[in-house]
Amino acid sequence: MRIVIRRSGGYAGGEAQTAGVDTSRLDPARAQEVEQLVLQTIADASERAEPIGADLARYEITVEDEAGTRSLTFTDDGRPDGGAIERLIEMLEGLS
């Protein structure tokens, strides 16, 4: 599974940043952890209402696997309950 996260926006527009990982290059335990978090992120994203705001950071998450390519967006409004999406972003930024 290949996962790419692109961050844009934020205060004063900010510079776009990209982080990604190919789980086939990780040790099996870490790969499973990342893949489970991706599945939870996809499920959580469908339940989340997108906030509106010009200075909010926006993430585009693209997942490629045997099922095809899927993309979702997430706008970080600073709420402490970011759930799986925020954990995935943090994990991928740490692995990149």
Side-chain angles (χ1 to χ4, degrees):
M1 179 182 286
R2 182 163 161 43
I3 306 113
V4 176
I5 296 181
R6 185 176 198 290
R7 180 188 187 275
S8 60
Y11 184 71
E15 186 174 320
Q17 300 172 336
T18 302
V21 68
D22 183 343
T23 59
S24 69
R25 298 177 182 254
L26 300 175
D27 68 78
R30 177 63 100 182
Q32 182 178 11
E33 180 182 10
V34 172
E35 290 172 4
Q36 289 292 339
L37 200 49
V38 166
L39 296 175
Q40 184 63 49
T41 296
I42 291 168
D44 287 357
S46 65
E47 299 174 7
R48 214 177 147 96
E50 280 294 307
I52 298 172
D55 290 334
L56 301 177
R58 184 173 181 85
Y59 296 87
E60 180 180 351
I61 303 168
T62 303
V63 178
E64 297 175 19
D65 61 11
E66 62 278 347
T69 301
R70 304 177 293 289
S71 292
L72 59 103
T73 58
F74 164 70
T75 303
D76 185 359
D77 62 359
R79 287 185 289 171
D81 63 340
I85 294 171
E86 287 187 355
R87 288 194 311 272
L88 178 64
I89 292 166
E90 290 172 8
M91 182 179 289
L92 291 188
E93 287 175 343
L95 291 171
S96 292

